[in-house]
Amino acid sequence: MNLVLLGAPGAGKGTQAEVISNRLSIPIISTGAILREAVAAGTPLGVQAKTCMDAGELVPDELIISIIKQRLTAEDCSHGFILDGVPRNVSQADALKEMGVAVDAVIDIDVPDADIIARLSGRRVCGKCSAPYHLINKPPVVEGVCDVCGAPLVARADDSEATVSERLRVYHKNTEPLIDYYQKQGKLFVVDGSQSIQETTRLVFAVIEALS
Ligand code: AMP
């Protein structure tokens, strides 16, 4: 199954993507995580992407499309995948279509802006494997340490208050039109992401099971 997770920054896409990936044994393709790794490694891609990411702006479509093209050729994508954070605008969605990427379903995790702002201040991420955490909603077993790989947890640079409001503005302007785009194709399923992580997972799997 090829899934797209839509939703504002902090809606819980990464957290739900992990659960889906574990249960369905399909990989997560998170352009944000790929870009953060490139920034940390100081690759040419990372250098190009960093300024946009720090400002809360979208990285140019050409970079994203080439990342996706390359990643989807990997063997582990042959039985399906979860796109997390991509497409981020209509031109990226069109580019996926042109590449021949069949999207089976788009799950939009809907969370009001006020909740998003509160959530992002407590968000943490593993500096090594990108596993997502939250100080209140999803704390690690040992404070400050990743449950998966033991590396230290860090706050994302782009979760600062000023950058978050810019990212929300960019989301509403560029990404939200995808709701209508996929609705018209009959592929959109909206779930309420404002409750607990477990409740959102239940709603997400109600959609996935209805599709299987
Ligand atoms: P995310 O982890 O998905 O919130 O992404 C973090 C940042 O990476 C975003 O604020 C953008 O600067 C950049 N980014 C991630 N995915 C994309 C994408 N599909 N298109 C453009 N920029 C992206």
Side-chain angles (χ1 to χ4, degrees), residues 130-208:
S130 300
Y133 295 88
H134 191 277
L135 295 182
I136 294 158
N137 304 333
K138 195 187 176 217
V141 176
V142 179
E143 197 183 319
V145 176
C146 178
D147 296 344
V148 182
C149 74
L153 302 185
V154 293
R156 281 174 44 171
D158 59 353
D159 279 347
S160 70
E161 221 176 296
T163 313
V164 165
S165 47
E166 178 58 12
R167 287 165 68 208
L168 272 173
R169 192 193 64 76
V170 168
Y171 168 75
H172 289 299
K173 181 167 177 276
N174 299 289
T175 311
E176 218 166 39
L178 288 172
I179 293 177
D180 195 40
Y181 178 96
Y182 284 119
Q183 174 113 56
K184 284 189 176 131
Q185 297 179 24
K187 292 182 175 166
L188 187 82
F189 300 85
V190 181
V191 303
D192 175 8
S194 65
Q195 308 302 315
S196 65
I197 291 175
Q198 292 75 12
E199 176 58 9
T200 307
T201 301
R202 194 185 67 72
L203 297 172
V204 164
F205 273 88
V207 170
I208 292 175

Side-chain angles (χ1 to χ4, degrees), residues 110-129:
D110 187 37
V111 178
D113 282 8
D115 294 9
I116 292 288
I117 292 164
R119 277 187 193 184
L120 290 182
S121 63
R123 181 154 82 165
R124 297 292 180 271
V125 63
C126 173
K128 194 171 167 204
C129 76

